[in-house]
Amino acid sequence: QVQLVESGGGLVQPGGSLRLSCAASGFIFRIKGMAWYRQGPGKQREAVAIISSGGTTNYADSVKGRFAISRDNAKNTVYLQMNSLTPEDTAVYYCYVKLGRDYWGQGTQVTVSS
């Protein structure tokens, strides 16, 4: 079955960095686009970054220049490097893939606070 397992979240000070990982299984990873979403306190879930099977990336305006999505097809893993974090980046971050229907990971909490 399809599984998406996120890791790498935690508490970080403003201006700090984190790298999230999402280990995928149960489908042919290298041919699917992947995405990271986030849901902050009291907010709707929003797309943060998308990477196509060919490596083309797109970002939400709020994270452009600070976040970078990448993938390692040999490891069936997608990453989200997050730099210059601000308290507004505090959210649960989810890995996502569409395979006929939507699949989500369990989420990993990122808290940016001093």
Side-chain angles (χ1 to χ4, degrees):
Q1 71 277 24
V2 175
Q3 284 194 312
L4 301 171
V5 180
E6 301 99 334
S7 61
L11 173 65
V12 63
Q13 291 188 340
S17 298
L18 282 175
R19 189 176 83 152
L20 306 182
S21 300
C22 171
S25 61
F27 63 100
I28 305 174
F29 178 81
R30 59 180 171 81
I31 67 171
K32 298 304 296 184
M34 300 293 297
W36 286 97
Y37 281 71
R38 68 184 180 186
Q39 187 165 15
K43 298 181 181 179
Q44 289 190 329
R45 194 171 295 191
E46 63 175 354
V48 174
I50 300 169
I51 186 166
S52 73
S53 59
T56 300
T57 58
N58 280 287
Y59 298 93
D61 287 343
S62 59
V63 307
K64 279 180 182 176
R66 301 188 299 121
F67 289 13
I69 188 171
S70 61
R71 63 190 299 155
D72 185 337
N73 290 338
K75 295 182 178 179
N76 285 5
T77 300
V78 60
Y79 303 98
L80 186 67
Q81 178 67 43
M82 305 185 295
N83 300 324
S84 302
L85 285 161
T86 74
E88 288 67 39
D89 296 314
T90 294
V92 179
Y93 285 72
Y94 298 91
C95 186
Y96 167 86
V97 66
K98 189 172 185 68
L99 299 166
R101 71 168 182 89
D102 298 337
Y103 287 90
W104 300 91
Q106 83 286 356
T108 185
Q109 176 71 47
V110 171
T111 302
V112 185
S113 175
S114 55

